[in-house]
Amino acid sequence: MLNDFERLMFDRVSKTVGGNQKPFSYFKTEDSSTDILFCKDSPAQNYLTCLTLGLVNQKGKFQSNGKNVRVELLGLSTNELGDTLGKIMATLYKNIVEKNLTCAYGVIYNHVLDELLPNSDMKHILLTTPPLFWKESLGTINLDDDNILTWLYAMPISENEKNTIVDSGDGFKDAMVHLQEQFTLKNVDVFNLNRKSII
């Protein structure tokens, strides 16, 4: 049975993301599981959106306007790489919960893709704002007087792309924006988990 936060989260996702929606559970035990919602042919035909279902229960480590910011993650790929994307999202979810990792804009999870995408340039996950079509539609949710929920995009990046951001120090946010602008200028399909690094 869903708690109040989960109900508000799932209601927004189910009405917004579209596609052929089906939840899958990973890392099942008698007491828990890591749940990921697959949305096939979303945001467009032959593409897939995957979303975590339950990170909203993790207390946020940051505040906005006096409220705790709780986060769910979304990932995108082509349909044929859906199984890999699901494993990526489930691994992120599990690591965040079990290791109490920070889940916020600009965070990089190092080497989480090494085993799941061994032949790809993509090695790390950067948490950034969702693509515009999801940022505007998912938005934020006022969960109660003390908590809000937002979504972050778990974007795969290469070693060189990561280094560009990390080496910028306090200017990492500008470096992130510049990197994403380069993706647009070079017409890079960032939803392709096997894309080549642009750096």
Side-chain angles (χ1 to χ4, degrees):
M1 184 175 179
L2 300 179
N3 62 39
D4 289 345
F5 286 3
E6 291 170 338
R7 179 179 53 79
L8 289 167
M9 174 271 295
F10 190 74
D11 184 64
R12 176 66 61 85
V13 167
S14 61
K15 292 179 179 178
T16 299
V17 179
N20 181 10
Q21 300 182 5
K22 185 175 182 179
F24 288 87
S25 295
Y26 298 79
F27 308 115
K28 293 182 185 178
T29 68
E30 291 184 2
D31 302 318
S32 66
S33 65
T34 300
D35 298 324
I36 305 296
L37 183 66
F38 280 62
C39 303
K40 188 177 180 181
D41 293 325
S42 170
Q45 190 173 3
N46 298 322
Y47 284 91
L48 173 77
T49 299
C50 282
L51 304 101
T52 56
L53 297 175
L55 283 177
V56 66
N57 294 313
Q58 300 296 114
K59 185 176 180 180
K61 297 183 179 181
F62 298 92
Q63 290 196 336
S64 176
N65 298 320
K67 291 192 173 187
N68 296 316
V69 180
R70 299 184 182 230
V71 175
E72 294 278 0
L73 300 182
L74 66 89
L76 295 114
S77 75
T78 53
N79 281 338
E80 60 264 29
L81 289 173
D83 183 59
T84 300
L85 179 61
K87 291 176 181 177
I88 292 170
M89 300 304 292
T91 299
L92 292 174
Y93 186 148
K94 183 173 183 285
N95 288 346
I96 289 166
V97 172
E98 292 186 352
K99 300 178 182 179
N100 195 29
L101 299 180
T102 297
C103 189
Y105 178 82
V107 168
I108 296 174
Y109 299 132
N110 293 312
H111 298 290
V112 293
L113 304 180
D114 288 354
E115 294 184 6
L116 293 169
L117 293 169
N119 299 316
S120 174
D121 284 357
M122 302 299 102
K123 302 300 180 186
H124 318 286
I125 289 291
L126 169 67
L127 298 188
T128 186
T129 51
L132 190 60
F133 49 82
W134 288 150
K135 179 181 179 181
E136 293 183 344
S137 54
L138 287 169
T140 60
I141 300 176
N142 285 307
L143 298 170
D144 60 17
D145 291 340
D146 300 314
N147 297 276
I148 62 174
L149 171 66
T150 192
W151 280 262
L152 289 175
Y153 170 36
M155 183 172 71
I157 57 173
S158 71
E159 181 72 14
N160 287 340
E161 291 164 356
K162 183 199 81 168
N163 290 339
T164 296
I165 296 170
V166 172
D167 291 347
S168 65
D170 291 340
F172 75 94
K173 291 184 179 180
D174 289 337
M176 287 172 59
V177 171
H178 178 72
L179 179 63
Q180 290 173 290
E181 288 175 345
Q182 291 301 304
F183 290 149
T184 300
L185 288 173
K186 296 181 179 181
N187 199 28
V188 175
D189 183 2
V190 295
F191 307 155
N192 178 4
L193 301 181
N194 289 312
R195 71 175 177 83
K196 294 297 183 182
S197 176
I198 65 168
I199 300 174

